[in-house]
Amino acid sequence: MRIDVITIFPEYLAPLELSLIGKARRDGLVDLRIHQLRDFTHDRHRTVDDTPLGGGAGMVMKPEPWAEAFAAVLADGRAALGEDASPLVIFPNPAGEPFAQATAQDWSTRPWLVFACGRYEGIDERVYEHLADAGIEVALASLGDYVLNGGEVAVLAITEAVVRLVPGVVGNAASLVEESHSDGLLEYPLYTRPAAWTGPDGTVREVPEVLLSGNHARIAAWRAEQSLARTAERRPDLISCREGAQQHGAGDAP
Ligand SMILES: OB(O)c1ccc2cc[nH]c2c1
């Protein structure tokens, strides 16, 4: 998988050199490249923004640097992946589609992702139009109903959620199967040794007996029950989504 990130704050993406994502890059599972948007300007101040036409607070990102940056990134990517290669261009944006595990699953199968990090009040609308008119697939993604100061933090989160699903990145692929949201539900409660823990306050807390039974069928049933109960309590919306999908045969032909 190739990932390009266009930003005015490359240093914000430094955490992508660490841990599993960093190892995936070193192992050649992910080719991740960061591009400084200001490198695609031509004035002394390397200007990427201007005042909003029609008035209003703040500044808007100019279309010219973005168009030049996309042209360079697309050319570089096609030189590496083939002239027919075409990326999914993702704009983190509070007005975007909610990013969810199903989205991460989908995007983890794509050969090429390009992230465009907005700043200020946002990016000139004509940049989105320019990409769409060029036949480039564009997605606007939101982490949730709150606003950050730019797209970089969202790119860190989305990249981690996506890249960890790329085969070979996580050592034990089985650990991806029973985690929250992998089956549309929240994960069951986890326990490890000691089976009886005496806390700092002197309270002894024991692990549920079923987990020490060695009866794998009972353990699986308990975990399924706990997962459903925890989801119903904390995220009832996920239950109704799941029931809707099951009623309509999720995955069947439309
Ligand atoms: O909350 B966000 O994901 C986000 C994304 C991009 C921009 C650009 C300016 N503010 C932003 C916020």
Side-chain angles (χ1 to χ4, degrees):
M1 172 185 281
R2 173 165 171 145
I3 298 176
D4 291 277
V5 184
I6 306 170
T7 172
I8 61 172
F9 291 122
E11 56 275 27
Y12 237 111
L13 285 307
L16 296 178
E17 294 167 12
L18 306 174
S19 187
L20 279 180
I21 310 303
K23 185 176 185 303
R25 295 173 73 178
R26 290 186 291 278
D27 291 348
L29 293 173
V30 177
D31 176 9
L32 195 151
R33 300 161 187 244
I34 314 296
H35 308 272
Q36 168 54 270
L37 180 65
R38 295 190 190 277
D39 290 347
F40 300 94
T41 61
H42 305 285
D43 64 302
R44 188 156 59 94
H45 298 294
R46 294 161 59 87
T47 308
V48 295
D49 62 310
D50 201 341
T51 53
L53 288 175
M59 302 295 276
V60 175
M61 300 190 93
K62 295 165 57 62
E64 302 95 325
W66 280 107
E68 288 195 31
F70 281 122
V73 165
L74 288 172
D76 189 55
R78 285 170 175 156
L81 300 174
E83 283 314 308
D84 293 336
S86 189
L88 168 65
V89 177
I90 300 161
F91 291 85
N93 191 308
E97 292 284 318
F99 178 73
Q101 191 65 17
T103 316
Q105 291 282 2
D106 173 9
W107 292 355
S108 71
T109 66
R110 304 294 188 104
W112 186 11
L113 303 176
V114 176
F115 288 100
C117 298
R119 277 275 156 176
Y120 306 103
E121 297 304 312
I123 299 172
D124 187 300
E125 189 66 18
R126 291 168 293 181
V127 172
Y128 304 102
E129 295 167 5
H130 166 66
L131 289 171
D133 291 347
I136 302 294
E137 186 181 2
V138 172
L140 275 63
S142 167
L143 289 189
D145 293 338
Y146 53 87
V147 183
L148 301 168
N149 288 329
E152 287 80 7
V153 167
V155 169
L156 289 173
I158 293 171
T159 298
E160 178 160 317
V162 169
V163 169
R164 66 192 295 274
L165 299 177
V166 171
V169 171
V170 170
N172 177 10
S175 65
L176 296 174
V177 174
E178 290 192 328
E179 55 188 11
S180 286
H181 303 289
S182 61
D183 60 355
L185 297 175
L186 303 185
E187 190 172 29
Y188 47 79
L190 300 172
Y191 297 87
T192 186
R193 284 182 281 268
W197 169 56
T198 303
D201 60 359
T203 304
V204 178
R205 292 179 172 84
E206 298 191 356
V207 165
E209 170 276 330
V210 63
L211 298 181
L212 307 175
S213 68
N215 183 324
H216 298 296
R218 277 188 64 209
I219 292 168
W222 181 84
R223 284 174 166 173
E225 177 199 334
Q226 289 292 313
S227 179
L228 207 51
R230 176 170 277 199
T231 307
E233 179 192 355
R234 298 180 186 174
R235 289 293 306 275
D237 58 299
L238 293 179
I239 299 278
S240 47
C241 277
R242 195 163 187 263
E243 286 168 352
Q246 287 167 343
Q247 281 165 9
H248 298 291
D252 290 351

